[in-house]
Amino acid sequence: MRTTPVALRGISAIAVVAAGLTLTACGSQNATAPAADAPAPASASASASAPASPSAPTPPSTSASLTANAGSATAGSPSVPGSAPKPSTANTGTGTANSSGRACPTSQLRITAGNFDTGAGSTNFQIDFQNTGTTSCTLIGFPGVSFTTAQGTQLGKAADRVEAAKNAVTLRPNGHAVSDARAINGQSGYSEKECGLTSAESLRIFPPNQRQQAVVPWQRDECVGPTIQNLRVGPVHTG
């Protein structure tokens, strides 16, 4: 059987149409395929955001709080007996600083005046402080000193301070410390009016850093005029 050219052309046309339909169907299937996979990115995004949940940071936050509370508890806990540092007992050069630093109260001291040295115009002497207690105590600085009448009224000016190094001096039971002092001897070149020579019955003495006085017999004539600086006193030191 012979195939005519017309018949061949018809068959070719049918094949081209069939091929076109086949390609169209494939293209249509390929175009619609991604639509089914479209939700996948949304699922991935949800999965990635899961760690941002408020409950996720809870473990590190709790740990930090416990650490801070532990630090506070340690700082505020009572000290262990015997753990406090020991007070210093270093030597100050002219006396040993008392380990407790307790000042000598007037009631624990016997105070006297002695070692008189009278020269031209003045009398040098020492004020002696003796610890009569059963425990050690410390003196540091200047005593307060003034002349008084028998009734306790102050005469003249209180002692002026002679500046010198102040060192803590520990007085053990029966221990002594002294303060150097000086008074004008008699009228000592002043006019009678200026001097105001008067019998001073006592010395009123306040130990360093104390407000309770001690009275020491004096019974000497002293210049106590308002313009006269009769007494001078230095800081306590070892005797």
Side-chain angles (χ1 to χ4, degrees):
M1 175 179 172
R2 294 179 62 183
T3 304
T4 64
V6 174
L8 290 174
R9 287 195 295 270
I11 293 171
S12 299
I14 293 170
V16 169
V17 171
L21 291 174
T22 302
L23 289 172
T24 300
C26 291
S28 177
Q29 289 177 354
N30 290 339
T32 59
D37 297 335
S43 175
S45 174
S47 175
S49 63
S53 173
S55 62
T58 302
S61 175
T62 304
S63 174
S65 176
L66 287 175
T67 302
N69 288 338
S72 299
T74 302
S77 60
S79 59
V80 178
S83 62
K86 295 181 180 180
S88 172
T89 57
N91 193 303
T92 61
T94 60
T96 304
N98 189 22
S99 59
S100 67
R102 187 177 70 88
C104 296
T106 305
S107 59
Q108 192 175 331
L109 296 170
R110 179 175 179 266
I111 303 175
T112 57
N115 293 333
F116 292 93
D117 181 16
T118 300
S122 63
T123 297
N124 296 313
F125 63 100
Q126 288 186 321
I127 301 170
D128 184 272
F129 301 89
Q130 180 185 9
N131 180 6
T132 60
T134 58
T135 58
S136 296
C137 61
T138 296
L139 288 175
I140 182 171
F142 298 84
V145 185
S146 59
F147 297 123
T148 68
T149 65
Q151 291 74 36
T153 302
Q154 181 171 319
L155 295 171
K157 297 180 179 181
D160 193 17
R161 294 178 175 180
V162 177
E163 291 302 325
K166 296 184 293 184
N167 294 293
V169 179
T170 292
L171 295 184
R172 294 182 174 83
N174 295 317
H176 292 258
V178 297
S179 174
D180 299 320
R182 183 176 64 187
I184 293 173
N185 183 22
Q187 191 167 326
S188 187
Y190 293 102
S191 68
E192 184 177 346
K193 181 179 179 180
E194 189 178 21
C195 175
L197 196 65
T198 303
S199 176
E201 296 297 317
S202 305
L203 280 179
R204 178 165 56 202
I205 299 172
F206 292 89
N209 307 307
Q210 298 299 309
R211 294 185 177 182
Q212 182 182 352
Q213 68 181 21
V215 177
V216 176
W218 189 252
Q219 298 175 345
R220 291 169 179 256
D221 292 338
E222 299 292 349
C223 282
V224 294
T227 63
I228 304 298
Q229 181 61 64
N230 191 327
L231 281 166
R232 285 179 169 78
V233 66
V236 294
H237 59 86
T238 54

